[in-house]
Amino acid sequence: MNFFSRKDIKYFNNFVRKGYLIKNTENKKSSDYLIKTFENLTCKILKKKNIDLNYLHKYISVSDLNEFRIELYNKVNADKNIRLNYFKIGQESLFNIVGNELMMQNKLNVSIQFPNDDSSILPIHSDVWQGNSPYEANLWIPLVNCYKTKSMFILDGKYRYNYFKNKKNFLSSSGKIYKILKKKLIWLKVNKGQFLLFDQTLPHGNIVNVEKQTRISMNCRFKSIFSPYKNKKIAEYFSPISIRAMTEIGNKYESPYL
C-alpha cells in the first residue's frame, strides 16, 4: 500500500518512467553561489578578470585541460559551503525521489568538455557497472547552457527493464553498447540555472562536443542512508547530511539487557 497523495504518486511514476527530471533551481541563492564560486576560481587560476565559461577553451589548451580541471576540482571542494549550497539547489526533488535521510558524496565532480576534443569523452556506461549502488541518484548541475552534443545522453527510462536482457552484448566494448542502444538514447537539454536529477543505473555518457562552446558541469551522488551500499561506502565516499531525530536516538541506544 502506498500512502502518498495522487500528486506524489504521479511525480514518482513519472521519474520511474523517464529515469530523470529537469527543473529550475530550487534555491536561486545557492545556484548563484555555486556559479559565482566556480567563475571566481576559474578567473583566479587563469589570472583573468572576467571569463565567459562558454569559451573557456580559448584560454586553455587541450594538453593543459586535465591539470586545470584537477586544480579547479581541489579548490571547489576546499570551499566549506559548496556542498550545502549544491544540495539546496535540488533539495526538494532529492527528498521526493531519494528520501529525506540522505547520504551525499564527499566530493563534487567537475566535468569540462572543449569543442571537438576527443580526450574528454565519457563513453556510455552505467555507474552501477563500476561499483555504485543502484539506490543512488545523480544530481547534475550545468554551469553553462547544455544542449545537443554539448550536453549528455541517457537511455530512455522505458527501456530500463529490458536493455540488459542480452548480457553478452554488454560484455563487449562501450562502442558496441552505444551502437546497440543509440536509437533508444535521449539527448538532454539543461540550461544554466537548472539541474538534472537522474537514475544512474541507466546507461549515459557523451560524445565529441561538436558545438562551438565548452561544456562545464558538476555532478554529485545522493542515496538514502539505509539503502544498500556496494563498493562506495560510508565515510570513504559518502557522509550523512540529513539524519532525523529517531535515527539519532536509535543509533545511540544501548539495551540494558545486553
Side-chain angles (χ1 to χ4, degrees), residues 8-245:
D8 288 336
I9 292 173
K10 183 178 180 181
Y11 186 84
F12 166 91
N13 288 336
N14 186 57
F15 186 85
V16 172
R17 178 178 57 83
K18 294 177 65 176
Y20 68 92
L21 61 83
I22 297 171
K23 289 180 65 178
N24 292 334
T25 179
E26 295 171 354
N27 189 310
K28 189 176 185 304
K29 185 177 179 180
S30 289
S31 183
D32 290 344
Y33 179 87
L34 181 72
I35 293 169
K36 194 65 177 177
T37 297
F38 200 98
E39 291 176 341
N40 287 343
L41 288 174
T42 298
C43 288
K44 185 175 181 179
I45 293 171
L46 297 179
K47 298 179 180 179
K48 302 289 184 181
K49 289 186 177 181
N50 293 293
I51 291 178
D52 183 343
L53 296 179
N54 285 291
Y55 298 98
L56 184 62
H57 55 280
K58 294 184 179 294
Y59 299 90
I60 308 169
S61 66
V62 171
S63 60
D64 293 329
L65 176 56
N66 193 52
E67 182 179 349
F68 168 80
R69 187 191 65 79
I70 292 173
E71 183 175 0
L72 185 60
Y73 166 88
N74 289 331
K75 289 185 180 298
V76 164
N77 283 290
D79 185 327
K80 295 180 179 179
N81 297 314
I82 200 78
R83 291 175 76 246
L84 173 60
N85 282 283
Y86 197 96
F87 163 66
K88 285 183 175 180
I89 289 171
Q91 178 176 343
E92 180 182 347
S93 294
L94 286 166
F95 281 169
N96 288 334
I97 297 298
V98 185
N100 62 14
E101 289 193 283
L102 292 174
M103 286 287 186
M104 180 179 182
Q105 186 177 320
N106 291 328
K107 300 288 186 181
L108 304 178
N109 293 321
V110 176
S111 177
I112 303 173
Q113 189 179 20
F114 285 171
N116 302 309
D117 173 23
D118 60 6
S119 69
S120 299
I121 295 175
L122 187 61
I124 190 168
H125 67 288
S126 166
D127 294 13
V128 297
W129 301 347
Q130 302 168 345
N132 287 84
S133 167
Y135 294 86
E136 298 168 18
N138 198 318
L139 182 62
W140 191 90
I141 300 177
L143 281 301
V144 293
N145 292 345
C146 293
Y147 53 89
K148 296 181 180 179
T149 60
K150 191 187 172 188
S151 184
M152 59 172 277
F153 59 75
I154 190 170
L155 179 71
D156 189 332
K158 67 183 179 183
Y159 298 107
R160 71 169 63 251
Y161 298 119
N162 60 21
Y163 76 85
F164 201 61
K165 282 184 178 179
N166 188 347
K167 294 185 179 181
K168 291 182 179 179
N169 290 334
F170 293 86
L171 297 176
S172 56
S173 68
S174 58
K176 182 175 181 179
I177 296 173
Y178 180 77
K179 288 180 180 179
I180 294 169
L181 299 178
K182 187 175 182 179
K183 293 182 179 180
K184 300 177 177 65
L185 300 176
I186 297 173
W187 284 92
L188 302 174
K189 183 178 185 295
V190 192
N191 289 329
K192 178 180 176 181
Q194 295 184 313
F195 67 83
L196 162 70
L197 183 65
F198 71 94
D199 165 18
Q200 61 183 18
T201 71
L202 295 176
H204 55 279
N206 60 46
I207 60 175
V208 173
N209 174 14
V210 298
E211 315 310 321
K212 295 181 179 180
Q213 298 178 341
T214 292
R215 174 172 76 84
I216 305 176
S217 61
M218 300 179 70
N219 67 84
C220 183
R221 298 170 180 85
F222 294 80
K223 69 184 297 296
S224 174
I225 290 175
F226 299 109
S227 60
Y229 294 78
K230 288 187 71 177
N231 296 345
K232 312 295 175 130
K233 305 296 184 181
I234 300 174
E236 65 184 38
Y237 192 80
F238 287 104
S239 57
I241 60 170
S242 56
I243 295 177
R244 299 296 179 175

